[in-house]
């Protein structure tokens, strides 16, 4: 698992419109809030993505770009975005490479069977590409506002 102070791993992934987004392009220009979520259209995932979207203007005041990542494909992301009015960037990590880099693809035991999945996690990356926060196992409810408070503290 990653820790604050480390360089944020870089990656290039397609967004909901199949445009390739290189995370390194934000270096020197924007802070990045990177949130990993299990899957499109699940209740908590929808809450989290819409909550970040609802506060996107407030994050923009702190030069924050918000990016959500799951292993769903671009088409599912586009449907999810359009169905719920999500405005934040959603990236498809179908191969799970970014999930591995960020340590969010983890095993858990369910009814005696080991299953792998994304642990809901959020990372705050500063303009220099350094992790300022690395949070694993976050709760979707109220999380966007918690991250907004954290970003305000980091900028003060």
């Amino acid at each position: 698992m990653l820790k604050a102070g480390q360089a944020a791993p870089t990656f290039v992934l397609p967004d909901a419109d199949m445009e390739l987004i290189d995370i390194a392009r934000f270096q020197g220009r924007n802070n990045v809030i990177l949130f990993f979520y299990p899957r499109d259209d699940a209740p908590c995932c929808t809450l989290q993505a819409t909550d970040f979207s609802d506060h996107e203007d407030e994050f923009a005041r702190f030069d924050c770009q918000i990016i959500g990542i799951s292993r769903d494909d671009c088409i599912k992301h586009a449907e999810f975005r359009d169905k719920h009015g999500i405005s934040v960037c959603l990236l498809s990590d179908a191969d799970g490479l970014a999930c591995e880099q960020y340590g969010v693809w983890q095993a858990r035991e369910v009814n005696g069977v080991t299953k792998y999945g994304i642990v809901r996690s959020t990372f705050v990356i500063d303009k220099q590409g350094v992790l300022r926060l690395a949070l694993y196992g976050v709760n979707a409810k109220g999380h966007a506002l918690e991250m907004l408070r954290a970003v305000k503290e980091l900028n003060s």
Side-chain angles (χ1 to χ4, degrees), residues 118-134:
I118 292 177
V119 171
R120 189 180 313 282
S121 305
T122 303
F123 303 88
V124 177
I125 304 167
D126 69 17
K127 291 179 182 179
Q128 289 71 44
V130 175
L131 289 169
R132 299 295 297 272
L133 283 175

Side-chain angles (χ1 to χ4, degrees), residues 1-11 23 27 30-36 69 98 100-104 121-136 147 150-151 154:
M1 295 205 289
L2 300 175
K3 292 180 175 37
Q6 289 180 274
T10 59
F11 55 80
I23 191 78
Q27 250 183 303
N30 296 93
N31 298 302
V32 176
I33 305 278
L34 195 61
F35 70 96
F36 287 84
I69 299 178
E100 289 285 339
Q101 286 178 294
Y102 279 80
V104 302
S121 305
T122 303
F123 303 88
V124 177
I125 304 167
D126 69 17
K127 291 179 182 179
Q128 289 71 44
V130 175
L131 289 169
R132 299 295 297 272
L133 283 175
L135 305 170
Y136 293 88
M147 290 299 89
V151 166
L154 291 173

Side-chain angles (χ1 to χ4, degrees), residues 11 14 17-19 28 38-39 51 53 55 58 68 70 83 88-91 93 99 106 112 128 145 151:
F11 55 80
D17 297 317
M18 296 186 215
E19 177 187 331
R39 68 181 191 281
D51 209 13
S53 294
H55 297 286
E58 294 166 73
S70 81
K83 178 180 177 182
V88 298
C89 180
L90 300 176
L91 300 183
D93 186 23
C99 290
Q106 296 181 15
Q128 289 71 44
L145 286 175
V151 166

Side-chain angles (χ1 to χ4, degrees), residues 36-100:
F36 287 84
Y37 63 100
R39 68 181 191 281
D40 293 340
D41 253 341
C44 286
C45 299
T46 302
L47 172 69
Q48 186 176 22
T50 57
D51 209 13
F52 272 116
S53 294
D54 291 346
H55 297 286
E56 194 172 25
D57 290 342
E58 294 166 73
F59 281 103
R61 288 188 209 128
F62 296 97
D63 293 326
C64 282
Q65 175 73 35
I66 302 168
I67 299 172
I69 299 178
S70 81
R71 295 201 51 185
D72 291 308
D73 64 31
C74 298
I75 293 166
K76 277 195 79 174
H77 276 342
E79 291 168 352
F80 178 53
R81 174 195 65 196
D82 297 346
K83 178 180 177 182
H84 297 286
I86 294 166
S87 59
V88 298
C89 180
L90 300 176
L91 300 183
S92 172
D93 186 23
D95 296 333
L97 298 175
C99 290
E100 289 285 339

